[in-house]
């Protein structure tokens, strides 16, 4: 199995992984476009706050499931008890988190329109949790084709329902939550038809292993998302729903631009894990540097497009009412260029069984981000939030690259630029020939 992972058709896996991520993000992207053009800024701001809290809750669930279950499947790909154990833990967490989200909405002093949305939190968490769980099963099996088709079915189903809703009905935020649940049904049916998972009695040991590994991974996911959403939450506290809507549009543009990082990470993690399990530090170091270089090859061109075409992109995706988001996109696009190092750093620490180190780094980053947001948002508004987030990202990643050498005997900056130089030299030789 390990040999298969190291020598697998990386390009094919990447294309299917990218296709799966693209289908999922396109479903959100098109829905985002329809919503931002249809709803008033204040209403869209309420949705931004709701979906931020749902995303934070889902990241906690995903931390207990994604990487831990992937590791278990890689080691025992035909063990049905692992599937059953993961399923039990996944949906137990969804129910518990739905209850917590509802309680939060009752005590957080939210406006009435936002509070109503949280009564439907279970639906959103169930939809996200089910899609992500299927993605994890496919990732562990290296079945990225099924992953891509499942997400594509969800995309087509959601778009059909959304078009009917927006062009023949009366769109509401609650109706949008409902069509997301409805679109999930055909995707799940296809997955069961294609993968034919077998059920067995859940294993206590497997669940304990997931919880043991996931307690730091979930904490890491939670802190990571709190880091990326701290600005949204604090804008919601210091400013108004309209400012939150403008910032949310800018962040959505940045998030969609980072599709390559998200798609490739699903392929990179199993390869890093397989390299580590060979016991060769040289192999792990090589995989680390190659992974960073691969992500840089995608994110740098995308960031350049965002910087130079930011106003045009905003107008296409929303309207001129959201052009105030243009300056923050420049700051966040520059910070995004550093993210490949941070992404591979986190994946590597999880793969080598050191999620605690990753968790502590992100916790430090979160504290820095919150402190800077508290200082900069009241003074500079949404630009202050972008400044705080960008500085926190770059600072944390630099510190992380200095610390990683203690764990994998690799100097990331040096290794990446050595490999980059080799690639450029090879290209020059090919051109001369």
């Amino acid at each position: 199995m390990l040999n298969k992972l190291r020598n697998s058709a990386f390009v094919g896996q990447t294309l299917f992984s990218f296709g799966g991520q693209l289908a999922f993000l396109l479903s959100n992207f098109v829905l985002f476009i329809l919503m931002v053009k249809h709803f008033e800024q204040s209403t869209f701001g309420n949705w931004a706050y709701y979906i931020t809290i749902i995303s934070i809750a889902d990241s906690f669930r995903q931390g207990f499931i994604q990487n831990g279950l992937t590791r278990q499947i890689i080691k025992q790909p035909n063990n049905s008890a692992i599937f059953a154990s993961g399923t039990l833990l996944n949906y137990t967490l969804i129910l518990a988190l739905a209850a917590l989200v509802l309680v939060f909405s009752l005590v957080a002093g939210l406006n009435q329109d936002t509070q109503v949305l949280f009564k439907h939190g279970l639906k959103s968490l169930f939809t996200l949790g089910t899609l992500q769980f299927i993605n994890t099963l496919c990732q562990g099996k290296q079945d990225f084709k099924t992953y891509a088709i499942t997400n594509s079915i969800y995309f087509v189903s959601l778009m059909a329902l959304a078009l009917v809703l927006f062009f023949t009905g009366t769109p509401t935020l609650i109706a949008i939550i409902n069509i997301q649940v409805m679109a999930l049904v055909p995707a799940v049916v296809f997955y069961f038809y294609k993968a034919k998972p077998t059920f067995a009695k859940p294993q206590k040991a497997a669940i304990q292993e997931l919880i043991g590994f996931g307690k730091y991974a979930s904490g890491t996911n939670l802190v990571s998302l709190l880091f990326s959403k701290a600005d949204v939450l604090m804008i919601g506290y210091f400013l108004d729903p309209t400012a939150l809507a403008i910032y949310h549009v800018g962040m959505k543009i940045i998030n969609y631009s980072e599709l390559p990082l998200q798609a490739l990470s699903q392929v990179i993690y199993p390869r890093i894990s397989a390299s580590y399990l060979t016991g060769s530090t040289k192999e792990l170091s090589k995989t680390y540097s190659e992974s960073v270089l691969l992500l840089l090859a995608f994110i740098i061109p995308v960031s350049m497009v965002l910087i130079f075409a930011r106003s045009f992109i905003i107008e296409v995706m929303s309207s001129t009412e959201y052009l105030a988001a243009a300056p923050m996109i420049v700051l966040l696009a520059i910070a995004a260029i550093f993210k490949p190092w941070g992404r591979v750093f986190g994946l590597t620490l999880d793969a080598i069984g050191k999620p605690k180190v990753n968790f502590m780094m992100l916790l430090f980053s979160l504290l820095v981000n919150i402190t800077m947001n508290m200082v900069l948002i009241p003074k500079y508004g949404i630009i202050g939030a972008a400044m705080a987030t960008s500085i926190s990202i770059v600072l944390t990643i630099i510190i992380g690259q200095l610390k990683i050498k203690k764990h994998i005997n690799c100097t990331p900056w040096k290794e990446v630029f050595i490999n980059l130089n080799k690639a450029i030299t090879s290209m020059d030789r090919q051109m001369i020939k």
Side-chain angles (χ1 to χ4, degrees):
M1 183 70 178
L2 298 180
N3 192 52
K4 176 185 175 183
L5 282 173
R6 293 196 305 275
N7 301 314
S8 58
F10 186 75
V11 173
Q13 290 180 350
T14 300
L15 289 176
F16 280 124
S17 177
F18 189 87
Q21 279 289 327
L22 181 64
F24 179 70
L25 291 180
L26 273 177
S27 64
N28 291 328
F29 174 73
V30 177
L31 196 59
F32 162 77
I33 296 290
L34 292 171
M35 292 177 67
V36 79
K37 290 182 178 294
H38 177 83
F39 293 114
E40 295 180 357
Q41 286 184 327
S42 58
T43 301
F44 187 68
N46 292 333
W47 174 262
Y49 191 88
Y50 166 76
I51 206 65
T52 295
I53 299 299
I54 292 297
S55 298
I56 291 172
D58 184 67
S59 73
F60 183 78
R61 175 208 59 80
Q62 196 169 353
F64 278 101
I65 301 297
Q66 187 176 30
N67 289 347
L69 186 57
T70 299
R71 282 162 58 96
Q72 288 184 344
I73 294 173
I74 289 174
K75 292 177 181 178
Q76 302 179 64
N78 299 315
N79 189 340
S80 299
I82 289 177
F83 170 75
S85 302
T87 301
L88 177 61
L89 181 60
N90 186 62
Y91 289 98
T92 300
L93 287 169
I94 286 174
L95 290 172
L97 289 167
L100 287 174
V101 164
L102 182 59
V103 171
F104 166 81
S105 70
L106 297 175
V107 301
L110 305 176
N111 65 60
Q112 187 175 1
D113 291 337
T114 305
Q115 192 177 88
V116 169
L117 291 175
F118 282 94
K119 295 180 180 179
H120 301 268
L122 177 59
K123 298 177 186 177
S124 295
L125 289 169
F126 178 80
T127 302
L128 282 172
T130 299
L131 278 174
Q132 296 290 355
F133 184 66
I134 290 174
N135 294 349
T136 298
L137 295 174
C138 293
Q139 181 180 344
K141 293 277 191 177
Q142 293 290 285
D143 187 6
F144 290 100
K145 183 177 181 179
T146 298
Y147 160 67
I149 296 174
T150 301
N151 279 4
S152 297
I153 291 173
Y154 175 76
F155 166 66
V156 172
S157 301
L158 183 61
M159 290 307 96
L161 291 168
L163 291 174
V164 171
L165 176 64
F166 277 88
F167 293 104
T168 65
T170 304
T172 64
L173 297 181
I174 294 173
I176 289 170
I177 294 173
N178 289 336
I179 65 171
Q180 288 175 322
V181 178
M182 294 167 63
L184 178 66
V185 176
V188 172
V189 170
F190 169 79
Y191 173 76
F192 274 87
Y193 168 77
K194 185 68 170 62
K196 295 179 175 61
T198 55
F199 291 88
K201 183 179 179 181
Q203 291 180 340
K204 183 178 179 180
I207 295 175
Q208 288 176 334
E209 182 182 343
L210 286 174
I211 294 174
F213 182 86
K215 64 185 179 183
Y216 289 117
S218 62
T220 298
N221 274 11
L222 182 61
V223 172
S224 178
L225 201 61
L226 280 172
F227 171 82
S228 65
K229 302 295 185 182
D231 41 14
V232 174
L233 296 176
M234 297 185 77
I235 287 172
Y237 177 79
F238 285 111
L239 305 178
D240 55 35
T242 298
L244 181 56
I246 294 171
Y247 191 83
H248 188 65
V249 167
M251 285 301 299
K252 276 292 185 181
I253 293 172
I254 292 294
N255 291 341
Y256 290 130
S257 74
E258 293 176 1
L259 169 64
L261 271 68
Q262 298 177 36
L264 290 170
S265 293
Q266 294 196 352
V267 179
I268 287 171
Y269 177 78
R271 289 172 62 85
I272 292 175
S273 183
S275 295
Y276 170 68
L277 292 173
T278 64
S280 170
T281 55
K282 183 178 180 181
E283 180 70 22
L284 180 58
S285 177
K286 179 183 177 183
T287 304
Y288 187 101
S289 58
E290 288 177 347
S291 299
V292 172
L293 195 58
L294 180 65
L295 295 182
L296 283 171
F298 280 88
I299 201 63
I300 290 176
V302 172
S303 294
M304 293 301 101
V305 170
L306 287 178
I307 291 171
F308 293 107
R310 57 192 182 276
S311 296
F312 172 75
I313 293 171
I314 291 172
E315 289 189 46
V316 169
M317 291 183 62
S318 55
S319 67
T320 54
E321 294 180 341
Y322 291 91
L323 284 174
M328 60 167 280
I329 288 177
V330 175
L331 293 172
L332 294 169
I334 293 172
I337 296 174
F338 290 81
K339 287 187 177 181
W341 278 280
R343 183 65 64 97
V344 177
F345 171 80
L347 292 172
T348 301
L349 288 175
D350 280 352
I352 66 176
K354 295 185 180 293
K356 183 177 179 180
V357 177
N358 195 22
F359 172 73
M360 296 306 296
M361 282 297 301
L362 285 168
L363 184 60
F364 165 76
S365 184
L366 175 62
L367 293 175
V368 172
N369 193 15
I370 289 175
T371 301
M372 296 189 70
N373 271 299
M374 290 179 66
V375 173
L376 296 175
I377 289 177
K379 189 172 183 179
Y380 299 107
I382 62 173
I383 302 303
M387 291 168 59
T389 298
S390 300
I391 293 170
S392 301
I393 288 171
V394 175
L395 177 63
T396 304
I397 289 173
I398 291 174
I399 295 173
Q401 301 315 296
L402 296 175
K403 291 176 68 68
I404 193 65
K405 187 176 181 180
K406 297 180 181 179
H407 304 288
I408 66 169
N409 194 29
C410 171
T411 307
W413 303 106
K414 182 179 178 181
E415 295 281 351
V416 169
F417 288 116
I418 287 175
N419 282 328
L420 179 60
N421 184 57
K422 288 180 180 178
I424 294 173
T425 302
S426 177
M427 290 174 62
D428 288 342
R429 289 174 180 172
Q430 293 295 327
M431 292 177 66
I432 292 173
K433 290 181 180 180

